[in-house]
Amino acid sequence: MINLQETLVDIAKAIVDSPEEVKVVETQDDNTITLTLTVAPDDMGMVIGRHGKIAKAIRTVIKAASANCGKKVNVEIR
């Protein structure tokens, strides 16, 4: 099974200027996994992208990676 937390960290570190400040916290409910991505304030625009396109792409990739786990995955960016 793929580790979604590590996957999200790898994606975010490839995008930002300060990869050492990338953190992901995972919380689980009954049928939901929530991944909270935290980056440096200066890197927030890089992670969100124009009109949220990069954030949407990140969520799409994580959703595709989680297809085998049987749970809904939410990605929050802070």
Side-chain angles (χ1 to χ4, degrees), residues 4-76:
L4 299 175
Q5 190 171 2
E6 287 181 18
T7 304
L8 183 56
V9 168
D10 290 341
I11 292 170
K13 283 185 177 182
I15 296 171
V16 299
D17 288 334
S18 303
E20 64 278 355
E21 294 190 37
V22 172
K23 294 180 182 67
V24 176
V25 177
E26 180 177 338
T27 56
Q28 293 188 11
D29 291 338
D30 294 331
N31 292 328
T32 306
I33 299 172
T34 303
L35 298 171
T36 305
L37 173 64
T38 306
V39 297
D42 294 338
D43 293 331
M44 189 62 73
M46 292 180 191
V47 174
I48 295 173
R50 292 185 186 216
H51 304 288
K53 288 184 180 181
I54 294 176
K56 185 177 178 181
I58 291 171
R59 289 183 177 111
T60 302
V61 169
I62 296 298
K63 184 176 178 181
S66 69
N68 294 335
C69 74
K71 293 186 177 184
K72 182 179 178 184
V73 177
N74 294 326
V75 176
E76 294 181 3

